Amino acid sequence: MNAPEVPASGDPVPAPGPGEPGDRERGRRRVLRTLAVACLLCGLGAAAVVWQRAGAAPEASGYQVIDGVAYPLPVEDTKAYARRMAVFGGKALLAADAFLDFLGGLSRSRTVAALLALAGAGGGLCLWRAADRPAIRDEDDVGQDDPL
């Protein structure tokens, strides 16, 4: 672990034992650093999943050829699909389907993947830096272990 601190007088100062004031501070730092690593890993993992899904093409009901290039026609863009949805669930189902399409589109964007990676790294960095800062203690808390 860390070497014991040596004051100006040259005598080594023993590290605080369990239940002593420094023990609580070390526990807080350990928890914050664990949360920082977890935040970073979750952000990077989610970004990797979204990045991998970004290349997936939606299901096509047919193709439209423009200037010699075939473009797939998604099933959701056909009039027959919209009519069946309206007959089955009304306009509310059409609105819900459009909203779910929007959310599904977010998971297929590389920009969103980069944003998730940046947010995970930023959150992890903030938590790591918070672990390095000393805990804020009131004058009333001095000598008390339980703040409640």
Short mmCIF file of all heavy atoms in Angstrom, two decimals, residues 66-131:
data_model
loop_
_atom_site.label_atom_id
_atom_site.label_comp_id
_atom_site.label_asym_id
_atom_site.label_seq_id
_atom_site.Cartn_x
_atom_site.Cartn_y
_atom_site.Cartn_z
N ILE A 66 -32.86 3.93 -58.31
CA ILE A 66 -32.71 5.32 -58.72
C ILE A 66 -31.29 5.48 -59.25
O ILE A 66 -30.32 5.22 -58.52
CB ILE A 66 -32.98 6.29 -57.55
CG1 ILE A 66 -34.38 6.10 -57.01
CG2 ILE A 66 -32.73 7.72 -57.99
CD1 ILE A 66 -34.68 6.93 -55.78
N ASP A 67 -31.17 5.91 -60.50
CA ASP A 67 -29.87 6.10 -61.15
C ASP A 67 -29.00 4.86 -61.08
O ASP A 67 -27.79 4.93 -60.84
CB ASP A 67 -29.12 7.30 -60.53
CG ASP A 67 -29.81 8.62 -60.83
OD1 ASP A 67 -30.48 8.70 -61.88
OD2 ASP A 67 -29.66 9.56 -60.02
N GLY A 68 -29.61 3.70 -61.22
CA GLY A 68 -28.88 2.45 -61.23
C GLY A 68 -28.49 1.93 -59.86
O GLY A 68 -27.81 0.92 -59.75
N VAL A 69 -28.91 2.60 -58.78
CA VAL A 69 -28.60 2.16 -57.42
C VAL A 69 -29.89 1.67 -56.77
O VAL A 69 -30.90 2.39 -56.77
CB VAL A 69 -27.98 3.30 -56.59
CG1 VAL A 69 -27.69 2.83 -55.18
CG2 VAL A 69 -26.72 3.82 -57.24
N ALA A 70 -29.88 0.46 -56.21
CA ALA A 70 -31.07 -0.10 -55.57
C ALA A 70 -31.11 0.32 -54.10
O ALA A 70 -30.16 0.08 -53.35
CB ALA A 70 -31.05 -1.62 -55.68
N TYR A 71 -32.20 0.95 -53.72
CA TYR A 71 -32.41 1.37 -52.33
C TYR A 71 -33.51 0.52 -51.72
O TYR A 71 -34.58 0.37 -52.32
CB TYR A 71 -32.82 2.85 -52.26
CG TYR A 71 -31.74 3.79 -52.75
CD1 TYR A 71 -31.77 4.31 -54.03
CD2 TYR A 71 -30.70 4.15 -51.91
CE1 TYR A 71 -30.80 5.17 -54.48
CE2 TYR A 71 -29.71 5.01 -52.35
CZ TYR A 71 -29.76 5.52 -53.63
OH TYR A 71 -28.78 6.37 -54.07
N PRO A 72 -33.28 -0.05 -50.53
CA PRO A 72 -34.33 -0.89 -49.93
C PRO A 72 -35.49 -0.03 -49.43
O PRO A 72 -35.31 1.09 -48.96
CB PRO A 72 -33.61 -1.57 -48.75
CG PRO A 72 -32.47 -0.69 -48.44
CD PRO A 72 -32.08 -0.01 -49.72
N LEU A 73 -36.71 -0.56 -49.57
CA LEU A 73 -37.90 0.10 -49.04
C LEU A 73 -38.28 -0.59 -47.73
O LEU A 73 -38.65 -1.77 -47.73
CB LEU A 73 -39.07 -0.01 -50.03
CG LEU A 73 -38.91 0.74 -51.34
CD1 LEU A 73 -40.07 0.41 -52.25
CD2 LEU A 73 -38.84 2.23 -51.08
N PRO A 74 -38.18 0.11 -46.60
CA PRO A 74 -38.55 -0.51 -45.33
C PRO A 74 -40.04 -0.87 -45.30
O PRO A 74 -40.87 -0.19 -45.91
CB PRO A 74 -38.24 0.55 -44.29
CG PRO A 74 -37.33 1.51 -44.97
CD PRO A 74 -37.65 1.44 -46.42
N VAL A 75 -40.37 -1.96 -44.62
CA VAL A 75 -41.75 -2.42 -44.51
C VAL A 75 -42.62 -1.33 -43.88
O VAL A 75 -43.76 -1.13 -44.29
CB VAL A 75 -41.80 -3.71 -43.65
CG1 VAL A 75 -43.23 -4.15 -43.42
CG2 VAL A 75 -41.01 -4.80 -44.31
N GLU A 76 -42.07 -0.59 -42.92
CA GLU A 76 -42.86 0.42 -42.19
C GLU A 76 -43.24 1.60 -43.05
O GLU A 76 -44.11 2.38 -42.68
CB GLU A 76 -42.07 0.92 -40.96
CG GLU A 76 -41.77 -0.15 -39.95
CD GLU A 76 -40.53 -0.95 -40.28
OE1 GLU A 76 -39.68 -0.47 -41.07
OE2 GLU A 76 -40.41 -2.07 -39.78
N ASP A 77 -42.60 1.78 -44.21
CA ASP A 77 -42.89 2.93 -45.06
C ASP A 77 -43.97 2.65 -46.10
O ASP A 77 -44.31 3.53 -46.89
CB ASP A 77 -41.62 3.39 -45.77
CG ASP A 77 -40.65 4.07 -44.82
OD1 ASP A 77 -41.05 4.38 -43.68
OD2 ASP A 77 -39.49 4.27 -45.21
N THR A 78 -44.53 1.46 -46.15
CA THR A 78 -45.53 1.15 -47.15
C THR A 78 -46.92 1.56 -46.67
O THR A 78 -47.21 1.59 -45.47
CB THR A 78 -45.54 -0.36 -47.47
OG1 THR A 78 -45.87 -1.08 -46.29
CG2 THR A 78 -44.18 -0.81 -48.00
N LYS A 79 -47.79 1.88 -47.61
CA LYS A 79 -49.15 2.28 -47.28
C LYS A 79 -49.95 1.11 -46.72
O LYS A 79 -50.80 1.30 -45.85
CB LYS A 79 -49.86 2.85 -48.51
CG LYS A 79 -49.36 4.22 -48.91
CD LYS A 79 -50.15 4.76 -50.08
CE LYS A 79 -49.62 6.12 -50.50
NZ LYS A 79 -50.38 6.67 -51.62
N ALA A 80 -49.69 -0.09 -47.22
CA ALA A 80 -50.41 -1.27 -46.73
C ALA A 80 -50.11 -1.50 -45.24
O ALA A 80 -51.01 -1.82 -44.45
CB ALA A 80 -50.03 -2.50 -47.55
N TYR A 81 -48.87 -1.32 -44.85
CA TYR A 81 -48.49 -1.49 -43.45
C TYR A 81 -49.19 -0.45 -42.58
O TYR A 81 -49.75 -0.77 -41.53
CB TYR A 81 -46.97 -1.36 -43.31
CG TYR A 81 -46.46 -1.46 -41.90
CD1 TYR A 81 -46.30 -2.69 -41.29
CD2 TYR A 81 -46.14 -0.31 -41.17
CE1 TYR A 81 -45.82 -2.79 -39.99
CE2 TYR A 81 -45.67 -0.39 -39.88
CZ TYR A 81 -45.51 -1.63 -39.29
OH TYR A 81 -45.06 -1.71 -38.00
N ALA A 82 -49.19 0.81 -43.02
CA ALA A 82 -49.84 1.88 -42.25
C ALA A 82 -51.34 1.64 -42.13
O ALA A 82 -51.94 1.86 -41.07
CB ALA A 82 -49.56 3.22 -42.91
N ARG A 83 -51.97 1.16 -43.21
CA ARG A 83 -53.41 0.90 -43.16
C ARG A 83 -53.74 -0.23 -42.20
O ARG A 83 -54.67 -0.14 -41.40
CB ARG A 83 -53.93 0.57 -44.56
CG ARG A 83 -55.45 0.44 -44.58
CD ARG A 83 -55.95 0.17 -45.97
NE ARG A 83 -57.37 0.15 -46.14
CZ ARG A 83 -58.26 -0.50 -45.41
NH1 ARG A 83 -57.89 -1.18 -44.37
NH2 ARG A 83 -59.54 -0.48 -45.70
N ARG A 84 -52.95 -1.31 -42.24
CA ARG A 84 -53.19 -2.43 -41.30
C ARG A 84 -53.00 -1.98 -39.86
O ARG A 84 -53.75 -2.39 -38.97
CB ARG A 84 -52.25 -3.59 -41.61
CG ARG A 84 -52.75 -4.46 -42.75
CD ARG A 84 -51.83 -5.59 -42.98
NE ARG A 84 -50.65 -4.96 -43.61
CZ ARG A 84 -49.59 -5.59 -44.03
NH1 ARG A 84 -49.48 -6.87 -43.87
NH2 ARG A 84 -48.59 -4.96 -44.59
N MET A 85 -52.01 -1.16 -39.62
CA MET A 85 -51.78 -0.65 -38.25
C MET A 85 -52.95 0.23 -37.81
O MET A 85 -53.39 0.15 -36.66
CB MET A 85 -50.47 0.14 -38.19
CG MET A 85 -49.24 -0.69 -38.40
SD MET A 85 -48.87 -1.75 -37.01
CE MET A 85 -48.12 -0.57 -35.94
N ALA A 86 -53.45 1.08 -38.70
CA ALA A 86 -54.56 1.98 -38.35
C ALA A 86 -55.83 1.19 -38.09
O ALA A 86 -56.60 1.52 -37.18
CB ALA A 86 -54.77 3.00 -39.46
N VAL A 87 -56.07 0.13 -38.88
CA VAL A 87 -57.27 -0.68 -38.67
C VAL A 87 -57.17 -1.44 -37.35
O VAL A 87 -58.14 -1.55 -36.61
CB VAL A 87 -57.45 -1.67 -39.86
CG1 VAL A 87 -58.47 -2.75 -39.54
CG2 VAL A 87 -57.84 -0.91 -41.11
N PHE A 88 -55.99 -1.92 -37.04
CA PHE A 88 -55.82 -2.72 -35.84
C PHE A 88 -55.82 -1.88 -34.56
O PHE A 88 -56.48 -2.24 -33.59
CB PHE A 88 -54.49 -3.50 -35.94
CG PHE A 88 -54.24 -4.38 -34.76
CD1 PHE A 88 -55.00 -5.51 -34.54
CD2 PHE A 88 -53.24 -4.08 -33.86
CE1 PHE A 88 -54.77 -6.33 -33.45
CE2 PHE A 88 -52.99 -4.89 -32.77
CZ PHE A 88 -53.77 -6.02 -32.57
N GLY A 89 -55.13 -0.74 -34.55
CA GLY A 89 -54.98 0.00 -33.31
C GLY A 89 -55.32 1.48 -33.37
O GLY A 89 -55.18 2.18 -32.38
N GLY A 90 -55.69 1.98 -34.52
CA GLY A 90 -56.04 3.39 -34.63
C GLY A 90 -54.81 4.27 -34.74
O GLY A 90 -53.68 3.81 -34.92
N LYS A 91 -55.06 5.57 -34.61
CA LYS A 91 -53.97 6.55 -34.76
C LYS A 91 -52.97 6.47 -33.61
O LYS A 91 -51.80 6.80 -33.78
CB LYS A 91 -54.54 7.95 -34.87
CG LYS A 91 -55.30 8.15 -36.17
CD LYS A 91 -55.66 9.58 -36.37
CE LYS A 91 -56.41 9.69 -37.69
NZ LYS A 91 -56.37 10.99 -38.25
N ALA A 92 -53.42 6.02 -32.45
CA ALA A 92 -52.50 5.89 -31.31
C ALA A 92 -51.42 4.85 -31.61
O ALA A 92 -50.26 5.03 -31.25
CB ALA A 92 -53.26 5.53 -30.04
N LEU A 93 -51.81 3.76 -32.25
CA LEU A 93 -50.83 2.73 -32.59
C LEU A 93 -49.85 3.24 -33.65
O LEU A 93 -48.65 2.94 -33.60
CB LEU A 93 -51.52 1.46 -33.08
CG LEU A 93 -50.61 0.27 -33.36
CD1 LEU A 93 -49.86 -0.12 -32.09
CD2 LEU A 93 -51.41 -0.90 -33.87
N LEU A 94 -50.32 4.04 -34.58
CA LEU A 94 -49.42 4.63 -35.58
C LEU A 94 -48.42 5.57 -34.90
O LEU A 94 -47.23 5.57 -35.25
CB LEU A 94 -50.22 5.40 -36.63
CG LEU A 94 -50.96 4.56 -37.66
CD1 LEU A 94 -51.82 5.45 -38.55
CD2 LEU A 94 -49.98 3.78 -38.50
N ALA A 95 -48.90 6.37 -33.95
CA ALA A 95 -48.00 7.28 -33.24
C ALA A 95 -46.98 6.50 -32.40
O ALA A 95 -45.80 6.84 -32.37
CB ALA A 95 -48.80 8.24 -32.36
N ALA A 96 -47.45 5.45 -31.72
CA ALA A 96 -46.54 4.63 -30.92
C ALA A 96 -45.50 3.95 -31.80
O ALA A 96 -44.32 3.86 -31.44
CB ALA A 96 -47.32 3.60 -30.12
N ASP A 97 -45.92 3.47 -32.97
CA ASP A 97 -44.98 2.82 -33.88
C ASP A 97 -43.93 3.81 -34.40
O ASP A 97 -42.75 3.48 -34.50
CB ASP A 97 -45.76 2.22 -35.06
CG ASP A 97 -44.87 1.40 -35.96
OD1 ASP A 97 -44.14 0.53 -35.45
OD2 ASP A 97 -44.88 1.66 -37.19
N ALA A 98 -44.36 5.04 -34.69
CA ALA A 98 -43.41 6.06 -35.14
C ALA A 98 -42.40 6.39 -34.04
O ALA A 98 -41.21 6.56 -34.29
CB ALA A 98 -44.15 7.32 -35.57
N PHE A 99 -42.88 6.46 -32.80
CA PHE A 99 -41.98 6.75 -31.67
C PHE A 99 -40.99 5.61 -31.46
O PHE A 99 -39.79 5.84 -31.24
CB PHE A 99 -42.80 6.99 -30.40
CG PHE A 99 -41.96 7.33 -29.21
CD1 PHE A 99 -41.28 8.53 -29.14
CD2 PHE A 99 -41.85 6.44 -28.15
CE1 PHE A 99 -40.50 8.84 -28.04
CE2 PHE A 99 -41.08 6.75 -27.06
CZ PHE A 99 -40.40 7.95 -26.99
N LEU A 100 -41.46 4.37 -31.54
CA LEU A 100 -40.56 3.22 -31.38
C LEU A 100 -39.56 3.14 -32.54
O LEU A 100 -38.41 2.72 -32.34
CB LEU A 100 -41.36 1.93 -31.27
CG LEU A 100 -42.15 1.79 -29.97
CD1 LEU A 100 -43.00 0.52 -30.00
CD2 LEU A 100 -41.22 1.77 -28.77
N ASP A 101 -39.97 3.54 -33.75
CA ASP A 101 -39.03 3.61 -34.87
C ASP A 101 -37.93 4.64 -34.59
O ASP A 101 -36.75 4.41 -34.89
CB ASP A 101 -39.75 4.01 -36.15
CG ASP A 101 -40.18 2.82 -36.96
OD1 ASP A 101 -39.79 1.70 -36.60
OD2 ASP A 101 -40.90 3.03 -37.96
N PHE A 102 -38.33 5.76 -34.00
CA PHE A 102 -37.36 6.80 -33.65
C PHE A 102 -36.35 6.27 -32.63
O PHE A 102 -35.13 6.44 -32.79
CB PHE A 102 -38.08 8.02 -33.08
CG PHE A 102 -37.19 9.01 -32.40
CD1 PHE A 102 -36.33 9.81 -33.13
CD2 PHE A 102 -37.18 9.12 -31.02
CE1 PHE A 102 -35.50 10.71 -32.50
CE2 PHE A 102 -36.35 10.02 -30.38
CZ PHE A 102 -35.51 10.81 -31.13
N LEU A 103 -36.85 5.59 -31.59
CA LEU A 103 -35.94 5.03 -30.58
C LEU A 103 -35.05 3.95 -31.16
O LEU A 103 -33.87 3.85 -30.82
CB LEU A 103 -36.74 4.48 -29.40
CG LEU A 103 -37.45 5.52 -28.52
CD1 LEU A 103 -38.21 4.81 -27.41
CD2 LEU A 103 -36.48 6.52 -27.95
N GLY A 104 -35.60 3.13 -32.05
CA GLY A 104 -34.80 2.10 -32.70
C GLY A 104 -33.72 2.69 -33.59
O GLY A 104 -32.63 2.15 -33.71
N GLY A 105 -34.04 3.81 -34.22
CA GLY A 105 -33.05 4.47 -35.07
C GLY A 105 -31.89 5.02 -34.27
O GLY A 105 -30.77 5.09 -34.76
N LEU A 106 -32.16 5.41 -33.02
CA LEU A 106 -31.07 5.91 -32.18
C LEU A 106 -30.04 4.83 -31.90
O LEU A 106 -28.86 5.11 -31.75
CB LEU A 106 -31.62 6.44 -30.86
CG LEU A 106 -32.36 7.77 -30.92
CD1 LEU A 106 -32.85 8.14 -29.52
CD2 LEU A 106 -31.49 8.87 -31.46
N SER A 107 -30.50 3.57 -31.81
CA SER A 107 -29.55 2.50 -31.50
C SER A 107 -28.78 2.05 -32.73
O SER A 107 -27.98 1.15 -32.64
CB SER A 107 -30.29 1.32 -30.88
OG SER A 107 -31.10 0.69 -31.84
N ARG A 108 -29.03 2.66 -33.89
CA ARG A 108 -28.31 2.31 -35.10
C ARG A 108 -27.46 3.47 -35.62
O ARG A 108 -27.15 3.54 -36.79
CB ARG A 108 -29.28 1.88 -36.19
CG ARG A 108 -29.89 0.54 -35.93
CD ARG A 108 -30.68 0.06 -37.14
NE ARG A 108 -31.91 -0.57 -36.72
CZ ARG A 108 -33.08 0.05 -36.58
NH1 ARG A 108 -33.18 1.32 -36.84
NH2 ARG A 108 -34.14 -0.61 -36.20
N SER A 109 -27.07 4.37 -34.73
CA SER A 109 -26.32 5.55 -35.15
C SER A 109 -24.93 5.54 -34.52
O SER A 109 -24.79 5.38 -33.31
CB SER A 109 -27.08 6.81 -34.73
OG SER A 109 -26.29 7.93 -34.89
N ARG A 110 -23.92 5.71 -35.34
CA ARG A 110 -22.55 5.75 -34.81
C ARG A 110 -22.28 7.03 -34.03
O ARG A 110 -21.44 7.04 -33.15
CB ARG A 110 -21.56 5.60 -35.96
CG ARG A 110 -21.67 4.21 -36.54
CD ARG A 110 -20.48 3.82 -37.30
NE ARG A 110 -20.65 2.40 -37.64
CZ ARG A 110 -19.72 1.68 -38.18
NH1 ARG A 110 -18.57 2.20 -38.44
NH2 ARG A 110 -19.94 0.42 -38.44
N THR A 111 -23.04 8.08 -34.32
CA THR A 111 -22.90 9.32 -33.55
C THR A 111 -23.35 9.09 -32.11
O THR A 111 -22.71 9.55 -31.17
CB THR A 111 -23.73 10.44 -34.19
OG1 THR A 111 -23.34 10.57 -35.55
CG2 THR A 111 -23.53 11.75 -33.47
N VAL A 112 -24.45 8.35 -31.95
CA VAL A 112 -24.94 8.04 -30.60
C VAL A 112 -23.93 7.14 -29.88
O VAL A 112 -23.70 7.29 -28.68
CB VAL A 112 -26.34 7.39 -30.66
CG1 VAL A 112 -26.78 6.92 -29.30
CG2 VAL A 112 -27.34 8.37 -31.23
N ALA A 113 -23.29 6.24 -30.60
CA ALA A 113 -22.28 5.37 -29.99
C ALA A 113 -21.11 6.20 -29.47
O ALA A 113 -20.62 5.98 -28.35
CB ALA A 113 -21.79 4.34 -31.00
N ALA A 114 -20.67 7.16 -30.26
CA ALA A 114 -19.58 8.03 -29.81
C ALA A 114 -20.01 8.87 -28.61
O ALA A 114 -19.23 9.08 -27.67
CB ALA A 114 -19.14 8.94 -30.96
N LEU A 115 -21.25 9.33 -28.62
CA LEU A 115 -21.77 10.10 -27.48
C LEU A 115 -21.82 9.26 -26.21
O LEU A 115 -21.49 9.74 -25.12
CB LEU A 115 -23.18 10.61 -27.81
CG LEU A 115 -23.31 12.11 -27.94
CD1 LEU A 115 -24.57 12.46 -28.68
CD2 LEU A 115 -23.30 12.76 -26.60
N LEU A 116 -22.25 8.00 -26.34
CA LEU A 116 -22.28 7.10 -25.17
C LEU A 116 -20.88 6.86 -24.62
O LEU A 116 -20.68 6.86 -23.40
CB LEU A 116 -22.92 5.77 -25.55
CG LEU A 116 -24.43 5.74 -25.62
CD1 LEU A 116 -24.90 4.40 -26.19
CD2 LEU A 116 -25.04 5.96 -24.26
N ALA A 117 -19.91 6.66 -25.50
CA ALA A 117 -18.54 6.46 -25.05
C ALA A 117 -18.01 7.70 -24.35
O ALA A 117 -17.37 7.61 -23.29
CB ALA A 117 -17.65 6.11 -26.24
N LEU A 118 -18.31 8.87 -24.90
CA LEU A 118 -17.87 10.11 -24.29
C LEU A 118 -18.54 10.34 -22.94
O LEU A 118 -17.89 10.76 -21.97
CB LEU A 118 -18.16 11.28 -25.24
CG LEU A 118 -17.60 12.63 -24.85
CD1 LEU A 118 -16.09 12.58 -24.83
CD2 LEU A 118 -18.07 13.69 -25.83
N ALA A 119 -19.84 10.04 -22.85
CA ALA A 119 -20.55 10.21 -21.58
C ALA A 119 -20.03 9.24 -20.52
O ALA A 119 -19.87 9.61 -19.35
CB ALA A 119 -22.05 10.00 -21.79
N GLY A 120 -19.76 8.00 -20.90
CA GLY A 120 -19.21 7.04 -19.95
C GLY A 120 -17.84 7.45 -19.45
O GLY A 120 -17.54 7.37 -18.26
N ALA A 121 -16.99 7.92 -20.37
CA ALA A 121 -15.66 8.36 -19.98
C ALA A 121 -15.74 9.62 -19.11
O ALA A 121 -15.02 9.75 -18.12
CB ALA A 121 -14.80 8.64 -21.22
N GLY A 122 -16.64 10.54 -19.46
CA GLY A 122 -16.80 11.76 -18.66
C GLY A 122 -17.32 11.48 -17.27
O GLY A 122 -16.84 12.03 -16.28
N GLY A 123 -18.32 10.61 -17.18
CA GLY A 123 -18.85 10.24 -15.87
C GLY A 123 -17.82 9.53 -15.01
O GLY A 123 -17.70 9.79 -13.81
N GLY A 124 -17.06 8.63 -15.63
CA GLY A 124 -16.01 7.93 -14.89
C GLY A 124 -14.93 8.89 -14.40
O GLY A 124 -14.46 8.79 -13.27
N LEU A 125 -14.56 9.84 -15.26
CA LEU A 125 -13.54 10.82 -14.87
C LEU A 125 -14.04 11.70 -13.71
O LEU A 125 -13.29 11.97 -12.77
CB LEU A 125 -13.16 11.69 -16.06
CG LEU A 125 -12.13 12.78 -15.79
CD1 LEU A 125 -10.79 12.15 -15.42
CD2 LEU A 125 -11.98 13.68 -16.99
N CYS A 126 -15.29 12.13 -13.78
CA CYS A 126 -15.85 12.96 -12.70
C CYS A 126 -15.86 12.20 -11.37
O CYS A 126 -15.51 12.76 -10.33
CB CYS A 126 -17.26 13.42 -13.05
SG CYS A 126 -17.29 14.68 -14.34
N LEU A 127 -16.28 10.94 -11.41
CA LEU A 127 -16.29 10.14 -10.17
C LEU A 127 -14.88 9.89 -9.66
O LEU A 127 -14.64 9.91 -8.45
CB LEU A 127 -17.02 8.82 -10.41
CG LEU A 127 -18.53 8.92 -10.51
CD1 LEU A 127 -19.11 7.61 -11.01
CD2 LEU A 127 -19.14 9.29 -9.18
N TRP A 128 -13.93 9.66 -10.56
CA TRP A 128 -12.54 9.43 -10.14
C TRP A 128 -11.98 10.68 -9.49
O TRP A 128 -11.29 10.61 -8.47
CB TRP A 128 -11.71 9.03 -11.36
CG TRP A 128 -10.35 8.52 -10.98
CD1 TRP A 128 -9.22 9.24 -10.83
CD2 TRP A 128 -10.00 7.17 -10.70
NE1 TRP A 128 -8.18 8.43 -10.47
CE2 TRP A 128 -8.63 7.15 -10.39
CE3 TRP A 128 -10.71 5.98 -10.69
CZ2 TRP A 128 -7.96 5.98 -10.08
CZ3 TRP A 128 -10.03 4.81 -10.39
CH2 TRP A 128 -8.68 4.82 -10.07
N ARG A 129 -12.27 11.85 -10.09
CA ARG A 129 -11.79 13.11 -9.50
C ARG A 129 -12.48 13.39 -8.17
O ARG A 129 -11.86 13.96 -7.26
CB ARG A 129 -12.05 14.27 -10.47
CG ARG A 129 -11.30 14.17 -11.78
CD ARG A 129 -9.88 14.54 -11.66
NE ARG A 129 -9.82 15.92 -11.19
CZ ARG A 129 -8.72 16.54 -10.88
NH1 ARG A 129 -7.59 15.93 -11.01
NH2 ARG A 129 -8.74 17.78 -10.46
N ALA A 130 -13.74 13.00 -8.04
CA ALA A 130 -14.44 13.20 -6.77
C ALA A 130 -13.83 12.33 -5.67
O ALA A 130 -13.82 12.72 -4.50
CB ALA A 130 -15.93 12.87 -6.92
N ALA A 131 -13.28 11.19 -6.04
CA ALA A 131 -12.64 10.33 -5.04
C ALA A 131 -11.36 10.96 -4.51
O ALA A 131 -10.97 10.72 -3.38
CB ALA A 131 -12.32 8.96 -5.66
#
